Amino acid sequence: GENVEQHPSTLSVQEGDSAVIKCTYSDSASNYFPWYKQELGKRPQLIIDIRSNVGEKKDQRIAVTLNKTAKHFSLHITETQPEDSAVYFCAANDYKLSFGAGTTVTVRA
Amino acid sequence: SQTIHQWPATLVQPVGSPLSLECTVEGTSNPNLYWYRQAAGRGLQLLFYSVGIGQISSEVPQNLSASRPQDRQFILSSKKLLLSDSGFYLCAWNFAGGPTGELFFGEGSRLTVL
């Protein structure tokens, strides 16, 4: 089955700086790579996703890049704001989603 | 539009007691259904998934079980809870068929086993 590794486990950034979270996956058959944001005590919610036929996708301040050859993908958050503080999960699928362990992002005012 | 409901939101149970968490999806037919567990400060562990009524796949051997008695109903059960069963349980669904798409989560059930 799919194995997803996510780094770093915690990330503290100054407001206005960028944040980058990286994930690797093991199954070359995986073709869908979503990112979820989970605020404290809440359910995870999709913030952006990318499919294997695309190398990069951007939505306002967030972007995701995918390198299928190296089997890694990354989340980039620019101009971070306090409301970006949350736990972020990457995931990859073969026939079901497997999640990374999560990254706790703290944006310092 | 589709909605997912999960209950109870919070429960505190003694070791050895039974468990039943229920999840229902509205506004769609034949969804894929999932149960995840999130231990404190940890990631999302897939426990069970179902692609149809009575079809349950288990990802992790444990003392939990799942059932899907109706198309849009998914139940997580245990006959005897362990301390290690404490955690945040999330039901989720996505559309069946085609490329895997967005997973929609319920609001979660926080279980504390004492």
Side-chain angles (χ1 to χ4, degrees):
Chain A
E2 179 62 270
N3 181 43
V4 179
E5 295 191 356
Q6 182 173 346
H7 300 279
S9 57
T10 60
L11 180 60
S12 180
V13 296
Q14 188 69 38
E15 183 177 358
D17 288 350
S18 296
V20 180
I21 304 170
K22 298 181 179 181
C23 289
T24 61
Y25 62 99
S26 60
D27 190 345
S28 58
S30 289
N31 57 16
Y32 175 64
F33 308 92
W35 287 87
Y36 284 81
K37 176 183 180 182
Q38 185 180 29
E39 298 178 353
L40 190 63
K42 302 287 184 64
R43 73 185 93 183
Q45 293 193 307
L46 181 74
I47 55 171
I48 194 167
D49 57 11
I50 192 168
R51 298 193 183 275
S52 59
N53 59 345
V54 177
E56 184 175 359
K57 184 177 178 180
K58 188 174 182 179
D59 182 5
Q60 299 183 350
R61 296 188 296 108
I62 59 173
V64 58
T65 59
L66 171 65
N67 184 326
K68 285 223 72 179
T69 302
K71 291 190 282 189
H72 66 70
F73 55 114
S74 301
L75 177 71
H76 304 253
I77 307 174
T78 59
E79 301 174 16
T80 54
Q81 301 170 4
E83 54 264 36
D84 295 328
S85 295
V87 180
Y88 292 81
F89 294 96
C90 63
N93 87 294
D94 39 16
Y95 60 97
K96 57 176 174 57
L97 279 178
S98 296
F99 284 84
T103 298
T104 301
V105 174
T106 303
V107 179
R108 307 186 307 272
Chain B
S1 64
Q2 300 84 23
T3 57
I4 179 170
H5 302 285
Q6 180 182 345
W7 68 94
T10 306
L11 64 166
V12 180
Q13 296 285 99
V15 170
S17 64
L19 171 73
S20 181
L21 302 178
E22 189 165 343
C23 172
T24 60
V25 178
E26 300 293 335
T28 188
S29 297
N30 195 33
N32 295 326
L33 295 171
Y34 306 82
W35 279 110
Y36 284 87
R37 176 170 61 198
Q38 187 175 25
R42 302 285 296 277
L44 295 164
Q45 181 186 35
L46 179 63
L47 302 176
F48 301 95
Y49 70 96
S50 171
V51 298
I53 295 175
Q55 299 179 63
I56 309 294
S57 296
S58 174
E59 291 293 305
V60 181
Q62 57 211 322
N63 70 322
L64 299 173
S65 63
S67 62
R68 184 170 178 172
Q70 299 181 45
D71 180 44
R72 293 169 294 176
Q73 183 185 26
F74 206 23
I75 298 171
L76 182 69
S77 303
S78 174
K79 292 182 179 178
K80 290 185 177 182
L81 285 168
L82 307 173
L83 286 173
S84 57
D85 291 323
S86 293
F88 191 48
Y89 288 81
L90 289 157
C91 181
W93 74 275
N94 61 9
F95 290 102
T100 300
E102 180 176 357
L103 202 60
F104 300 92
F105 288 91
E107 293 187 346
S109 298
R110 188 164 302 282
L111 170 65
T112 302
V113 182
L114 301 176

